[in-house]
């Protein structure tokens, strides 16, 4: 039988972000190795993290890989974020659940365009706490370079509303730690200590109805359909009735299995990385972008009013205005759908840098509620960050 998950330490969701090749995946592997040597994780090798076939072929991370580990005081689920601009889309959906992030910056290159873009995105999706890992410190020409990179990153963080002077900055070498070098192994522990100390256990929304945005769907032969994701709010128990909402007709089911990282759970609550087995649901009925919720808790909608901040070109947004009738992609939770922007009439326009009110009509119904955040994207760029202000019937 599978082990029962013991909720002995607070659980947090963190992840690596930063420019491609700055060493996010190497650092993630190093963290699991260093903690595995202390009995606090299962070591996951680099190849085990960069595991989707497309990633190996193209040598870049396009999916989000999860690993788990413990420190003395916490249990962490860690997502290794994609680094390439084309896959920022995955970052949006993954970052939305992060309680904190480790920003990886190579000591050899310093801050690069994706470093900035990821800081902007993290800020938009509400990641409040960032810890900086200046990686490849083993390869820095001298200490002065490291000081300069640190200064640069602190300023960049301040520019986007993070307390750049306060954020912990740790100089690490994922590669050397992975090789077992004692000095660099100790620096990984320094980094984890900084995360433990600086990223607070977030308040979990436990007093609202259960809601889990579907990230992935699997079929377990002989048992049925399993969906995975992080519980956004509330809690759920074995035997609970639920609804699947969005992208089509709402339908009901019952939770017949709950797991986290291969361990069974009696109940799952806000913040938990969860796999749920749903009774009588066929593989084709459920997909990424839907939500599993308590019955009646949320409904699908296509029309809403929103407040949207349009990013400037320096933040990765548009260089020119957008007009009434604009048709970008709207990214909600784990999915994106096209939608049409109503700015109030023919000829109305909005400029990058502005915060504007707009009405939106989506091409497909999405489980919507007031206060829900979303990203507006177009041709591989994030052009705006929005919040649902009101549902329109
Ligand atoms: P990612 O794209 O940010 O996930 O970067 P990877 O983890 O794939 O690393 C990119 C390259 O940098 C690889 O060739 C790594 O071996 C190398 N690398 C990663 N960490 C370090 C480090 O701490 N020191 C040195 N010298 N090289 C590193
Ligand atoms: Mg990687």
């Amino acid at each position: 039988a599978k082990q029962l998950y013991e909720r002995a330490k607070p659980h947090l969701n963190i992840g690596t972000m930063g420019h491609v090749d700055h060493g996010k995946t190497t650092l993630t592997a190093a963290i699991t190795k260093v903690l595995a040597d202390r009995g606090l994780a299962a070591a996951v090798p680099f190849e085990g993290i960069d595991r989707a076939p497309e990633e190996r072929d193209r040598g870049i991370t396009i999916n989000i890989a999860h690993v788990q580990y413990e420190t003395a005081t916490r249990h962490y689920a860690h997502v290794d974020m994609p680094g390439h601009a084309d896959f920022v889309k995955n970052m949006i959906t993954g970052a939305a659940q992060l309680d904190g992030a480790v920003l990886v910056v190579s000591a050899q290159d310093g801050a690069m365009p994706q470093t900035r873009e990821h800081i902007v995105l993290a800020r938009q999706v509400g990641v409040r706490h960032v810890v900086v890992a200046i990686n490849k410190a083993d390869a820095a020409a001298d200490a002065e370079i490291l000081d300069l990179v640190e200064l640069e990153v602190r300023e960049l963080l301040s520019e986007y509303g993070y307390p750049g002077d306060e954020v912990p900055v740790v100089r690490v070498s994922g590669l050397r730690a992975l090789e077992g070098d004692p000095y660099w192994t100790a620096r990984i522990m320094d980094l984890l200590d900084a995360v433990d100390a600086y990223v607070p256990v977030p308040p979990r929304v436990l007093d609202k109805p259960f809601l889990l945005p579907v990230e992935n769907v699997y079929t377990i032969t002989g048992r049925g359909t399993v969906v995975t994701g992080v519980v956004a709010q509330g809690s759920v128990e074995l035997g609970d009735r639920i609804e699947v909402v969005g992208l089509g007709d709402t339908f009901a089911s019952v939770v017949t299995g709950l797991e986290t990282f291969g361990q069974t759970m009696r109940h799952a609550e806000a913040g938990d990385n969860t796999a749920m087995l749903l009774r009588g649901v066929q593989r084709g009925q459920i997909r990424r972008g839907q939500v599993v919720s308590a019955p009646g808790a949320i409904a699908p909608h296509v029309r809403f009013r929103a407040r949207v901040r349009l990013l400037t070109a320096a933040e990765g947004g548009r260089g020119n205005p957008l007009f009434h009738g604009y048709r970008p992609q709207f990214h909600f939770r784990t999915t994106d759908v096209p939608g049409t922007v109503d700015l109030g009439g023919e000829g109305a326009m909005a400029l990058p840098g502005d915060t504007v009110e707009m009405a939106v009509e989506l091409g497909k119904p999405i489980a919507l509620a007031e206060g829900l955040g979303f990203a507006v994207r177009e041709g591989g760029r994030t052009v705006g960050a929005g919040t649902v202000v009101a549902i329109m019937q």
Side-chain angles (χ1 to χ4, degrees):
K2 286 187 177 171
Q3 231 183 318
L4 186 68
Y5 173 66
E6 299 287 350
R7 209 175 284 276
K9 298 173 184 175
H11 171 79
L12 283 89
N13 297 302
I14 64 166
T16 31
M17 60 182 198
H19 198 79
V20 64
D21 275 349
H22 280 200
K24 298 176 295 296
T25 304
T26 306
L27 180 63
T28 301
I31 290 171
T32 65
K33 187 203 177 277
V34 168
L35 289 175
D37 292 346
R38 287 159 179 73
L40 290 165
V44 184
F46 183 93
E47 307 76 46
I49 297 169
D50 263 0
R51 72 190 149 201
E54 304 95 307
E55 294 168 20
R56 273 201 299 272
D57 290 345
R58 298 206 243 161
I60 42 178
T61 315
I62 81 166
N63 263 319
I64 289 175
H66 286 86
V67 299
Q68 65 160 341
Y69 47 78
E70 287 177 29
T71 60
T73 55
R74 273 116 173 252
H75 179 264
Y76 289 99
H78 173 131
V79 295
D80 183 37
M81 298 295 234
H84 193 282
D86 285 348
F87 306 113
V88 170
K89 176 173 163 179
N90 269 338
M91 163 119 176
I92 292 171
T93 60
Q97 303 147 354
L98 294 190
D99 304 316
V102 176
L103 175 65
V104 180
V105 184
S106 161
Q108 290 176 311
D109 301 334
M112 294 288 279
Q114 290 160 17
T115 312
R116 181 186 292 265
E117 203 178 339
H118 289 193
I119 291 172
V120 171
L121 277 172
R123 192 69 195 165
Q124 282 167 19
V125 301
V127 179
R128 303 257 308 273
H129 296 87
V130 173
V131 173
V132 177
I134 299 189
N135 192 36
K136 309 196 188 185
D138 60 292
D142 52 51
E144 218 164 283
I145 299 278
L146 290 166
D147 290 343
L148 281 175
V149 171
E150 173 168 342
L151 194 69
E152 184 189 23
V153 178
R154 287 188 185 281
E155 280 177 359
L156 195 56
L157 285 165
S158 296
E159 197 181 321
Y160 292 104
Y162 286 102
D165 296 339
E166 287 169 27
V167 300
V169 177
V170 185
R171 298 167 185 193
V172 300
S173 169
L175 193 63
R176 295 283 170 263
L178 204 50
E179 290 166 358
D181 181 289
Y183 176 80
W184 294 113
T185 295
R187 302 291 79 75
I188 297 290
M189 292 309 291
D190 289 347
L191 177 67
L192 291 165
D193 286 346
V195 173
D196 278 347
Y198 185 70
V199 182
V201 178
R204 301 297 186 195
V205 183
L206 295 172
D207 57 352
K208 285 194 178 166
F210 170 70
L211 192 138
L212 173 140
V214 175
E215 266 180 41
N216 281 303
V217 182
Y218 304 95
T219 304
I220 301 187
T221 312
R223 287 197 74 194
T225 300
V226 168
V227 301
T228 62
V230 175
V231 180
Q233 61 178 51
S235 66
V236 70
E237 284 182 31
L238 279 181
D240 277 359
R241 308 189 144 275
I242 52 85
E243 280 178 356
V244 178
V245 183
L247 303 176
D249 291 336
T250 299
F251 63 91
S253 178
V254 173
V255 179
T256 53
L258 282 175
E259 284 188 11
T260 185
F261 292 104
Q263 297 180 311
T264 59
M265 307 166 99
R266 286 201 195 89
H267 90 280
E269 62 184 41
D272 288 347
N273 238 289
T274 308
M276 310 176 75
L277 184 64
L278 298 178
R279 178 186 294 159
V281 175
Q282 301 304 308
R283 176 76 177 76
Q285 271 184 292
I286 187 160
R287 60 189 191 276
R288 186 183 178 97
Q290 293 175 315
V291 302
V292 180
S293 77
I298 196 163
H301 298 279
V302 291
R303 297 179 69 228
F304 63 95
R305 293 202 61 79
R307 189 173 304 114
V308 178
R309 192 173 89 76
L310 299 171
L311 304 193
T312 61
E315 294 167 335
R318 290 166 63 99
N320 48 20
L322 60 85
F323 293 91
H324 180 76
Y326 177 58
R327 249 181 96 72
Q329 290 293 115
F330 290 83
H331 291 248
F332 289 97
R333 306 187 187 94
T334 56
T335 195
D336 59 284
V337 292
T340 307
V341 168
D342 178 342
L343 289 175
E346 226 36 67
M349 68 171 195
L351 296 169
D354 285 355
T355 297
V356 293
E357 290 256 344
M358 56 174 67
V360 177
E361 179 154 351
L362 299 173
K364 286 179 196 165
I366 292 287
L368 289 185
E370 273 177 30
L372 181 64
F374 59 90
V376 184
R377 287 176 54 82
E378 164 206 333
R381 285 189 300 187
T382 303
V383 301
T387 308
V388 174
V389 173
I391 306 293
M392 294 160 71
Q393 295 308 325

PDB file of all heavy atoms in Angstrom, residues 31-44 68-70:
ATOM      1  N   ILE A  31      19.887  20.981  -5.502  1.00  0.00           N
ATOM      2  CA  ILE A  31      19.122  21.077  -4.251  1.00  0.00           C
ATOM      3  C   ILE A  31      18.645  19.686  -3.819  1.00  0.00           C
ATOM      4  O   ILE A  31      18.804  19.299  -2.662  1.00  0.00           O
ATOM      5  CB  ILE A  31      17.915  22.039  -4.419  1.00  0.00           C
ATOM      6  CG1 ILE A  31      18.407  23.487  -4.550  1.00  0.00           C
ATOM      7  CG2 ILE A  31      16.941  21.906  -3.244  1.00  0.00           C
ATOM      8  CD1 ILE A  31      17.317  24.490  -4.936  1.00  0.00           C
ATOM      9  N   THR A  32      18.112  18.925  -4.776  1.00  0.00           N
ATOM     10  CA  THR A  32      17.619  17.585  -4.396  1.00  0.00           C
ATOM     11  C   THR A  32      18.786  16.695  -3.964  1.00  0.00           C
ATOM     12  O   THR A  32      18.645  15.906  -3.042  1.00  0.00           O
ATOM     13  CB  THR A  32      16.834  16.888  -5.530  1.00  0.00           C
ATOM     14  OG1 THR A  32      17.699  16.620  -6.631  1.00  0.00           O
ATOM     15  CG2 THR A  32      15.647  17.720  -5.994  1.00  0.00           C
ATOM     16  N   LYS A  33      19.936  16.832  -4.599  1.00  0.00           N
ATOM     17  CA  LYS A  33      21.078  15.998  -4.220  1.00  0.00           C
ATOM     18  C   LYS A  33      21.576  16.334  -2.821  1.00  0.00           C
ATOM     19  O   LYS A  33      21.787  15.441  -1.990  1.00  0.00           O
ATOM     20  CB  LYS A  33      22.228  16.160  -5.221  1.00  0.00           C
ATOM     21  CG  LYS A  33      23.337  15.174  -4.908  1.00  0.00           C
ATOM     22  CD  LYS A  33      24.689  15.544  -5.425  1.00  0.00           C
ATOM     23  CE  LYS A  33      25.723  14.529  -4.977  1.00  0.00           C
ATOM     24  NZ  LYS A  33      26.226  14.780  -3.618  1.00  0.00           N
ATOM     25  N   VAL A  34      21.757  17.629  -2.572  1.00  0.00           N
ATOM     26  CA  VAL A  34      22.273  18.063  -1.265  1.00  0.00           C
ATOM     27  C   VAL A  34      21.316  17.633  -0.154  1.00  0.00           C
ATOM     28  O   VAL A  34      21.738  17.148   0.902  1.00  0.00           O
ATOM     29  CB  VAL A  34      22.503  19.598  -1.278  1.00  0.00           C
ATOM     30  CG1 VAL A  34      22.761  20.129   0.126  1.00  0.00           C
ATOM     31  CG2 VAL A  34      23.671  19.940  -2.204  1.00  0.00           C
ATOM     32  N   LEU A  35      20.014  17.775  -0.396  1.00  0.00           N
ATOM     33  CA  LEU A  35      19.042  17.387   0.632  1.00  0.00           C
ATOM     34  C   LEU A  35      18.912  15.865   0.728  1.00  0.00           C
ATOM     35  O   LEU A  35      18.672  15.333   1.810  1.00  0.00           O
ATOM     36  CB  LEU A  35      17.686  18.043   0.364  1.00  0.00           C
ATOM     37  CG  LEU A  35      17.665  19.557   0.618  1.00  0.00           C
ATOM     38  CD1 LEU A  35      16.319  20.146   0.219  1.00  0.00           C
ATOM     39  CD2 LEU A  35      17.950  19.869   2.090  1.00  0.00           C
ATOM     40  N   ALA A  36      19.085  15.172  -0.395  1.00  0.00           N
ATOM     41  CA  ALA A  36      19.020  13.700  -0.369  1.00  0.00           C
ATOM     42  C   ALA A  36      20.135  13.161   0.521  1.00  0.00           C
ATOM     43  O   ALA A  36      19.933  12.212   1.284  1.00  0.00           O
ATOM     44  CB  ALA A  36      19.135  13.135  -1.779  1.00  0.00           C
ATOM     45  N   ASP A  37      21.312  13.793   0.453  1.00  0.00           N
ATOM     46  CA  ASP A  37      22.436  13.366   1.294  1.00  0.00           C
ATOM     47  C   ASP A  37      22.134  13.568   2.778  1.00  0.00           C
ATOM     48  O   ASP A  37      22.781  12.974   3.631  1.00  0.00           O
ATOM     49  CB  ASP A  37      23.712  14.145   0.919  1.00  0.00           C
ATOM     50  CG  ASP A  37      24.219  13.760  -0.471  1.00  0.00           C
ATOM     51  OD1 ASP A  37      23.755  12.730  -1.012  1.00  0.00           O
ATOM     52  OD2 ASP A  37      25.061  14.501  -1.028  1.00  0.00           O
ATOM     53  N   ARG A  38      21.153  14.414   3.077  1.00  0.00           N
ATOM     54  CA  ARG A  38      20.733  14.640   4.461  1.00  0.00           C
ATOM     55  C   ARG A  38      19.402  13.944   4.773  1.00  0.00           C
ATOM     56  O   ARG A  38      18.766  14.238   5.787  1.00  0.00           O
ATOM     57  CB  ARG A  38      20.597  16.147   4.703  1.00  0.00           C
ATOM     58  CG  ARG A  38      21.936  16.848   4.780  1.00  0.00           C
ATOM     59  CD  ARG A  38      21.841  18.336   4.513  1.00  0.00           C
ATOM     60  NE  ARG A  38      23.157  18.966   4.623  1.00  0.00           N
ATOM     61  CZ  ARG A  38      24.137  18.831   3.733  1.00  0.00           C
ATOM     62  NH1 ARG A  38      23.957  18.084   2.656  1.00  0.00           N
ATOM     63  NH2 ARG A  38      25.297  19.419   3.911  1.00  0.00           N
ATOM     64  N   GLY A  39      18.967  13.072   3.861  1.00  0.00           N
ATOM     65  CA  GLY A  39      17.727  12.312   4.090  1.00  0.00           C
ATOM     66  C   GLY A  39      16.459  13.130   3.956  1.00  0.00           C
ATOM     67  O   GLY A  39      15.408  12.738   4.468  1.00  0.00           O
ATOM     68  N   LEU A  40      16.517  14.267   3.251  1.00  0.00           N
ATOM     69  CA  LEU A  40      15.359  15.162   3.182  1.00  0.00           C
ATOM     70  C   LEU A  40      14.738  15.252   1.789  1.00  0.00           C
ATOM     71  O   LEU A  40      13.829  16.039   1.555  1.00  0.00           O
ATOM     72  CB  LEU A  40      15.766  16.560   3.650  1.00  0.00           C
ATOM     73  CG  LEU A  40      16.061  16.683   5.156  1.00  0.00           C
ATOM     74  CD1 LEU A  40      16.804  17.980   5.466  1.00  0.00           C
ATOM     75  CD2 LEU A  40      14.784  16.595   5.973  1.00  0.00           C
ATOM     76  N   ALA A  41      15.257  14.449   0.864  1.00  0.00           N
ATOM     77  CA  ALA A  41      14.708  14.470  -0.498  1.00  0.00           C
ATOM     78  C   ALA A  41      15.136  13.192  -1.205  1.00  0.00           C
ATOM     79  O   ALA A  41      16.027  12.483  -0.740  1.00  0.00           O
ATOM     80  CB  ALA A  41      15.227  15.682  -1.270  1.00  0.00           C
ATOM     81  N   ALA A  42      14.490  12.924  -2.322  1.00  0.00           N
ATOM     82  CA  ALA A  42      14.994  11.909  -3.230  1.00  0.00           C
ATOM     83  C   ALA A  42      15.771  12.686  -4.288  1.00  0.00           C
ATOM     84  O   ALA A  42      15.254  13.660  -4.842  1.00  0.00           O
ATOM     85  CB  ALA A  42      13.838  11.157  -3.875  1.00  0.00           C
ATOM     86  N   ALA A  43      17.019  12.312  -4.533  1.00  0.00           N
ATOM     87  CA  ALA A  43      17.811  13.033  -5.525  1.00  0.00           C
ATOM     88  C   ALA A  43      17.176  12.858  -6.901  1.00  0.00           C
ATOM     89  O   ALA A  43      16.813  11.743  -7.287  1.00  0.00           O
ATOM     90  CB  ALA A  43      19.244  12.518  -5.535  1.00  0.00           C
ATOM     91  N   VAL A  44      16.999  13.955  -7.608  1.00  0.00           N
ATOM     92  CA  VAL A  44      16.480  13.887  -8.976  1.00  0.00           C
ATOM     93  C   VAL A  44      17.579  14.412  -9.893  1.00  0.00           C
ATOM     94  O   VAL A  44      17.963  15.573  -9.794  1.00  0.00           O
ATOM     95  CB  VAL A  44      15.203  14.752  -9.137  1.00  0.00           C
ATOM     96  CG1 VAL A  44      14.632  14.582 -10.539  1.00  0.00           C
ATOM     97  CG2 VAL A  44      14.164  14.391  -8.082  1.00  0.00           C
ATOM     98  N   GLN A  68      10.030  17.433  -5.156  1.00  0.00           N
ATOM     99  CA  GLN A  68       9.687  17.794  -3.782  1.00  0.00           C
ATOM    100  C   GLN A  68      10.869  17.531  -2.875  1.00  0.00           C
ATOM    101  O   GLN A  68      11.697  16.669  -3.151  1.00  0.00           O
ATOM    102  CB  GLN A  68       8.482  16.993  -3.304  1.00  0.00           C
ATOM    103  CG  GLN A  68       8.768  15.509  -3.218  1.00  0.00           C
ATOM    104  CD  GLN A  68       7.804  14.775  -2.317  1.00  0.00           C
ATOM    105  OE1 GLN A  68       7.135  15.358  -1.476  1.00  0.00           O
ATOM    106  NE2 GLN A  68       7.735  13.477  -2.495  1.00  0.00           N
ATOM    107  N   TYR A  69      10.952  18.306  -1.810  1.00  0.00           N
ATOM    108  CA  TYR A  69      11.994  18.094  -0.804  1.00  0.00           C
ATOM    109  C   TYR A  69      11.579  18.769   0.489  1.00  0.00           C
ATOM    110  O   TYR A  69      10.607  19.533   0.527  1.00  0.00           O
ATOM    111  CB  TYR A  69      13.350  18.607  -1.284  1.00  0.00           C
ATOM    112  CG  TYR A  69      13.364  19.985  -1.892  1.00  0.00           C
ATOM    113  CD1 TYR A  69      13.329  21.121  -1.087  1.00  0.00           C
ATOM    114  CD2 TYR A  69      13.419  20.157  -3.274  1.00  0.00           C
ATOM    115  CE1 TYR A  69      13.352  22.392  -1.641  1.00  0.00           C
ATOM    116  CE2 TYR A  69      13.445  21.427  -3.845  1.00  0.00           C
ATOM    117  CZ  TYR A  69      13.412  22.544  -3.016  1.00  0.00           C
ATOM    118  OH  TYR A  69      13.425  23.794  -3.578  1.00  0.00           O
ATOM    119  N   GLU A  70      12.350  18.451   1.543  1.00  0.00           N
ATOM    120  CA  GLU A  70      12.093  19.068   2.841  1.00  0.00           C
ATOM    121  C   GLU A  70      13.345  19.772   3.324  1.00  0.00           C
ATOM    122  O   GLU A  70      14.455  19.347   3.034  1.00  0.00           O
ATOM    123  CB  GLU A  70      11.745  17.998   3.884  1.00  0.00           C
ATOM    124  CG  GLU A  70      10.378  17.403   3.706  1.00  0.00           C
ATOM    125  CD  GLU A  70      10.121  16.296   4.711  1.00  0.00           C
ATOM    126  OE1 GLU A  70      10.691  16.353   5.827  1.00  0.00           O
ATOM    127  OE2 GLU A  70       9.365  15.386   4.376  1.00  0.00           O
TER     128      GLU A  70
END
